[in-house]
Amino acid sequence: MTEQVDVVVIGMGPGGEQVAGRLAEAGLNVVAVEAELVGGECPYWACVPSKMMIRAGNLLAEARRVPGMAGTAQVTADWAPVAARIRDDATDDWNDRVAADRFTGKGGRLVRGLGRLDGPSRVAVGEQTFEARHGVVIATGSRPQIPPVPGLAEVPYWTNRDAIAAKEPPRSLLVLGGGAVGVELAQVYARFGTQITVVEAMDGLLPAEEPEAGALLAEVLGREGLALRTGARAVQVRHDGDEFGLTLENGEELIAQRLLVATGRRAHLAGLGLETVGLDPAARTLPTDGHLLVAPGLWAVGDVTGHGAFTHVAMYEAEIVCRAVLGEPGPPADYRALPRVTFTDPEVGAVGLTERQAREKGLRVRTGLSRLPASARGWIHKAGNEGLYKLVADEDRGVLLGATAVGPAGGEVLYGLAVAVQAEVPVESLRHMIYAYPTFHRGVEDALRDLG
């Protein structure tokens, strides 16, 4: 039996929830299909609870910076309130009733189960089949990408979900992957007393960002007692029931109580029935046009589009899809000024192209770099003032292509830089602005001077 509806949304992460909720509020007959929790990864295992953990770890770090600046302080770390806040405040013990009721309260219908395309504009969920008059939206998100390290599939490793849900910190933790998720969780657990070793196959931490940012973060983490192995490939994993052994290419074996695999994520498209609508079932992402259309009557939002595994990208794309479905005017997607923040201490905020990406596009670029401790605010801040600003400018057009802000408020300083990249504000105009004194963002002025 096939039921006629207006729109079917497969996946209720941040992007899918936004699409489904807004279209339901607009009066459309919307069916949303979700196999796990309404809200997706972000509120239960990623953005929200991880930032609660980071906030707690940062408080410990700040207290430890009191000596020499404001007297004395004795700090005793306690994971219990962190775990309780995640369980009680962030996730309702991983219960999505509030989110589900929020959606159905807007007039939408929630169907629990695995959604699968069953031909153009058709979605099957178990024994039910829905045919969408307006179309189908794929928002199935991503899953951890597990590397093919021998032995890994046979051991009880952690993913980000296990690290978030832990009721107590492990004595020691191996972190496989030095990207954003790996370094954020590594620093948090280290601040609560866990002995940490980070293993990254690339030559530096945060390999997708500017090398100066990764190098600075490595210095900070090293001073905090984390062991780092960069340019190191894991070739074997073992587990004897009590501890993990991770063997590197050079023969070194690292030992820890737990192993966290944080080697990136991959769009979740397996078993989605892409072949029923003429798409490649082995595709890594879904190619879209400027309005996120994959095929007639089929849109995609979020991680599956390959434009960045970030909640803010999914929400941005969701608005574009809503306009398309409702026939509202609006510009196509524009990813020139895509922002991202790694919420370590210091924060690493970045927008647009890195220097390497710009040069790979064949652009003539100039770069400017300034160090936060050399600025007035950095000098005043003292303990915990590690940071830098790097600007990447198009030499021919005289505008910023990208920028990186590392520091105690790197993600907040990023806002002004994102506006500059998005609006293509001339570098000369940026040079002649008034920058408030003494602020962290005033360090951008020093980087502009370094552009030459």
Side-chain angles (χ1 to χ4, degrees):
M1 192 114 181
T2 300
E3 181 179 345
Q4 299 286 326
V5 299
D6 289 329
V7 176
V8 178
V9 178
I10 308 176
M12 284 287 278
E17 186 180 3
Q18 177 70 8
V19 171
R22 185 178 165 198
L23 295 182
E25 285 182 313
L28 272 61
N29 181 357
V30 178
V31 168
V33 183
E34 176 54 58
E36 293 189 300
L37 300 180
V38 175
E41 197 80 9
C42 178
Y44 300 103
W45 298 289
C47 321
V48 175
S50 71
K51 303 314 169 277
M52 287 182 171
M53 294 165 61
I54 289 166
R55 167 63 174 154
N58 288 353
L59 284 172
L60 294 175
E62 279 295 281
R64 290 165 180 153
R65 290 166 180 156
V66 167
M69 291 192 68
T72 61
Q74 183 174 351
V75 184
T76 303
D78 183 1
W79 187 258
V82 181
R85 190 179 182 210
I86 290 171
R87 183 180 63 251
D88 299 335
D89 297 345
T91 68
D92 283 341
D93 202 13
W94 291 273
N95 184 310
D96 67 350
R97 176 48 51 198
V98 170
D101 289 347
R102 181 173 60 237
F103 169 61
T104 56
K106 295 176 180 179
R109 175 180 166 192
L110 178 63
V111 176
R112 303 278 186 176
L114 291 168
R116 186 180 187 277
L117 296 172
D118 188 33
S121 299
R122 291 170 60 88
V123 175
V125 189
E127 300 298 318
Q128 298 174 284
T129 300
F130 300 96
E131 188 164 15
R133 287 182 284 266
H134 289 277
V136 174
V137 182
I138 298 176
T140 47
S142 60
R143 298 291 184 271
Q145 182 167 277
I146 307 303
V149 179
L152 185 57
E154 287 76 49
V155 302
Y157 60 83
W158 275 4
T159 66
N160 64 297
R161 291 191 174 191
D162 304 287
I164 293 295
K167 293 183 178 180
E168 58 184 28
R171 297 185 308 276
S172 54
L173 176 67
L174 294 170
V175 180
L176 188 58
V181 173
V183 293
E184 284 181 0
L185 293 174
Q187 187 178 47
V188 166
Y189 272 111
R191 288 177 167 181
F192 278 87
T194 300
Q195 180 183 342
I196 298 288
T197 302
V198 178
V199 177
E200 168 56 49
M202 302 297 284
D203 290 335
L205 300 181
L206 301 182
E209 302 299 347
E210 296 286 8
E212 294 90 344
L216 176 58
L217 186 59
E219 291 177 14
V220 173
L221 296 181
R223 287 198 297 269
E224 292 190 9
L226 285 77
L228 307 176
R229 300 287 191 279
T230 55
R233 291 189 176 276
V235 297
Q236 183 69 46
V237 179
R238 66 170 180 84
H239 184 252
D240 63 7
D242 295 317
E243 61 185 16
F244 289 84
L246 184 69
T247 303
L248 305 183
E249 207 168 33
N250 64 3
E252 180 184 12
E253 185 180 42
L254 306 171
I255 305 296
Q257 182 188 5
R258 296 287 183 186
L259 169 65
L260 168 63
V261 179
T263 47
R265 299 182 68 83
R266 181 171 181 169
H268 184 48
L269 298 172
L272 196 55
L274 295 177
E275 67 280 1
T276 70
V277 293
L279 298 174
D280 181 3
R284 293 182 65 88
T285 59
L286 295 177
T288 62
D289 69 6
H291 295 279
L292 286 310
L293 192 67
V294 179
L298 181 65
W299 289 270
V301 300
D303 296 4
V304 295
T305 68
H307 294 128
F310 306 107
T311 292
H312 48 273
V313 170
M315 300 292 282
Y316 170 76
E317 293 177 337
E319 282 301 304
I320 295 173
V321 169
C322 287
R323 291 198 301 265
V325 173
L326 295 172
E328 298 175 351
D334 180 356
Y335 302 99
R336 285 173 302 148
L338 196 156
R340 59 265 179 201
V341 182
T342 300
F343 290 89
T344 45
D345 176 16
E347 288 182 356
V348 180
V351 62
L353 300 178
T354 62
E355 179 183 357
R356 176 182 56 79
Q357 290 169 335
R359 294 192 188 281
E360 287 176 349
K361 288 179 175 288
L363 299 171
R364 294 200 312 141
V365 303
R366 289 180 295 143
T367 63
L369 185 72
S370 65
R371 299 283 176 175
L372 187 58
S375 70
R377 180 61 181 273
W379 178 80
I380 292 167
H381 197 77
K382 195 177 178 180
N385 68 350
E386 297 90 350
L388 60 83
Y389 301 112
K390 182 175 180 179
L391 308 179
V392 180
D394 186 321
E395 190 164 359
D396 296 321
R397 295 191 299 133
V399 297
L400 293 184
L401 298 167
T404 297
V406 184
E412 307 306 323
V413 173
L414 186 66
Y415 172 71
L417 294 168
V419 171
V421 174
Q422 177 70 38
E424 298 186 330
V425 178
V427 169
E428 282 306 303
S429 296
L430 296 174
R431 292 187 202 276
H432 298 293
M433 285 173 51
I434 301 172
Y435 294 82
Y437 180 92
T439 58
F440 285 121
H441 76 254
R442 190 175 170 89
V444 173
E445 191 175 35
D446 297 331
L448 285 165
R449 278 193 286 269
D450 192 57
L451 272 173

